[in-house]
Amino acid sequence: MLTVTWLVIALPLLGFVVLVATGRRLGEPWAGWLATAMVSASFLVAIGLYLDLLGIKAPVRSYSENLWTWLDVGGLNLHAGLYVDPLSMTMVLFVTGVSALIHLYSIGYMHGDKDFAKFFLYLNLFVASMLILVLGSNMVMTFIGWEGVGTCSYWLVSFWFERNTAAVAGKKAFLYNRLGDVGFMLAMFLTFENFHSLDYSTIFARVDSVSSLNITVICLLLVVAVMGKSAQIPLFPWLADAMEGPTPVSALIHAATMVTAGVYLLCRVHPLLHASPTASLVVAIMGAVTAFVGATIACAQQDIKKVLAYSTISQLGYMFLAIGCGAYTAAIFLMVAHAFFKALLFLGSGSVIHGLHGEQDLKRMGNLRQYMPITFITFAIGWLAIAAVPPLSGFWAKGDILDNAFAARPVLWGIGVFTAALTAYYMSRLTSLAFFGSDRWGQKHPVDPDPWAHHAEVGEQRAPVESPLVMTLPLWILAFFAATAGLLATSGNFSLSAWVDPVFGSSLFSNHLPAGDLWVLGLLDTVVALGGVALGIWLWVSRTDRPALEIPFLRNAWYVNEAYDTLLGRPSTRLAHFSAEEVDLKVIDGAVNSLAGLVRGAGRIVAKTQTGYLRNYALAMVGGVVLILAFMVTRMWWG
């Protein structure tokens, strides 16, 4: 079965090709069903691959295949190669599974859109690119998938490009990711210079032969790459603006593809990180700070999707905190759990927006549990899961990270615990404003409307309606896994730890905490989660106007965008104007125009000799002959 690993990628890629050729003719809904079927088939193949890989005796559970030789120049030998091990297999399973549900949901959500077929074309290519990224056996294959998801995110974020905000958001996402990609490319160049290969197995086998300084520089360059792709400080602002795309795109980017690529990449190169304590510390600090900053910003947002966007930034920060502590399995565990509950939350928010005819402002919602009971029940499971309320998946996944952080980096553990309280609070605030309280969706002048949120069109303030089955079925499935994914930590020989730990071997941090400490930490996590939930409900279930808790500093995301605009954007604009008006016009164009003027002047002088009279030309010829004869006589005389 492992010999058909390529089929996992080929199926969604085939869907993309078919939709390019026939998408418009297929139209709605068949284009959506075709795309969904292709990703679902990829998921079924992935299950077969998993079972086959499970049959290989541990700890050497891996399979590699070179499909063809791509490039063989000098010392660089590149293969279009695939590598399957428990790490990549875990990624493939949740990428294809969650993506299939998002595709199914999108059939209902995108109903009536004029570019229905094109949307699913992009989704299929997005999934194929992510699968290339996680299954690539070398850094170049990973980079191809890396660029593929970046390109697809640009197309999908700016899908409704008729809106200027969507077009700008797409360009912003593209440019931020290009900044990070510079780090990836430089890391590849330096890796080849030191390891003479870009194949992962060769690189890892030669780690001891490369200086720690060079390994640290390679790791830090990869950190720059993941800053862009996974929206970590300082390259996180693009992810909130990416909410301009259709809500299924937000779910796909945040849960199954794109932003999880950075987590996967650092886990894949764990031998390099393990050999560089400095780089690991940088990753841990970056993660803890990002988790805290993202959570504080989420506490004051009014757009339902932006709360979830900053929540993703914060949760990714937890994953990088775990990686920086060497707790790679804990990072993977939260990534899997996050895929379920964040896809659920985004699709749930999409159901809310769909039911409210385009409204995204939390202050213009309220009491939706009465009108959308299925959306409320499933969303509530996602809310309590991300808040880390036991026994849901978030409790086990986030607790695993905090336990390791407590043993490895206690100061960062403190930041993580406080951030966990903020997470429970802001998600309870979101749920209270959207699903409890009064029917604010019918008010013409709601309290403190968000000028940046999308609102329902005038005349669309009808009673909310529950979403159709094609949208609610994925919500039920995701809710089930968001609730039960904690079993991955508690199922003994069949746990995620038993499955993935052999991949990391000696690189994996072991906290060696006694059972008593683990119980105390678990109890503390529970108190923090329940306390945050209780505080959020108490403050917001019947109120929408608490300005003291929604200060401009947080509502404007720490003014990071404004800072970049002041420090980089405006100076760059002035430099561009100076270059255009002074350097280009006066220096470059001036030099060209001066040379042209010189030639033109010389031409005018020479043109004066062109009189049109034959006698003048004959006289000139005679004069020339005389000069030549004089020259020859002179040479003979002096010779």
Side-chain angles (χ1 to χ4, degrees), residues 444-463:
K444 292 184 179 180
H445 302 289
V447 178
D448 192 20
D450 186 354
W452 294 286
H454 292 292
H455 301 293
E457 297 293 334
V458 176
E460 288 287 346
Q461 295 294 347
R462 302 188 300 270

Side-chain angles (χ1 to χ4, degrees), residues 230-297:
S230 296
Q232 297 295 285
I233 282 179
L235 300 181
F236 70 88
W238 72 268
L239 193 56
D241 289 354
M243 298 303 97
E244 290 290 337
T247 301
V249 174
S250 304
L252 195 63
I253 290 175
H254 288 248
T257 62
M258 188 73 173
V259 296
T260 59
V263 179
Y264 170 78
L265 177 63
L266 292 189
C267 288
R268 174 53 70 201
V269 300
H270 62 90
L272 298 180
L273 273 179
H274 183 66
S276 176
T278 301
S280 295
L281 178 60
V282 169
V283 172
I285 294 173
M286 177 188 73
V289 174
T290 302
F292 171 74
V293 171
T296 59
I297 297 172

Side-chain angles (χ1 to χ4, degrees), residues 126 129-134 139-153 177-178 180-185 200 221-230 258-266 320:
F126 207 156
S129 298
M130 187 66 184
L131 293 171
I132 292 172
L133 189 156
V134 301
M139 295 181 77
V140 176
M141 286 289 289
T142 299
F143 188 70
I144 291 172
W146 189 273
E147 291 300 288
V149 295
T151 302
C152 291
S153 69
N177 276 272
R178 296 296 73 72
D181 293 347
V182 172
F184 200 142
M185 294 181 69
Y200 289 123
L221 289 171
L222 291 175
V223 170
V224 173
V226 305
M227 282 179 184
K229 192 67 69 183
S230 296
M258 188 73 173
V259 296
T260 59
V263 179
Y264 170 78
L265 177 63
L266 292 189
F320 287 111

Side-chain angles (χ1 to χ4, degrees), residues 277-320:
T278 301
S280 295
L281 178 60
V282 169
V283 172
I285 294 173
M286 177 188 73
V289 174
T290 302
F292 171 74
V293 171
T296 59
I297 297 172
C299 289
Q301 301 302 304
Q302 284 184 208
D303 187 310
I304 186 172
K305 288 174 65 176
K306 286 194 174 181
V307 175
L308 297 177
Y310 285 110
S311 169
T312 297
I313 293 170
S314 181
Q315 297 303 301
L316 288 166
Y318 274 110
M319 298 174 206
F320 287 111

Side-chain angles (χ1 to χ4, degrees), residues 355-374:
L356 287 173
H357 317 291
E359 184 60 64
Q360 293 185 202
D361 192 337
L362 288 167
K363 302 295 180 72
R364 295 190 176 191
M365 297 182 184
N367 198 29
L368 294 181
R369 73 186 191 282
Q370 297 291 334
Y371 303 92
M372 308 178 71
I374 296 176

Side-chain angles (χ1 to χ4, degrees), residues 13-25:
L13 198 57
L14 176 62
F16 163 75
V17 173
V18 172
L19 288 173
V20 167
T22 66
R24 289 192 180 276
R25 288 195 294 274

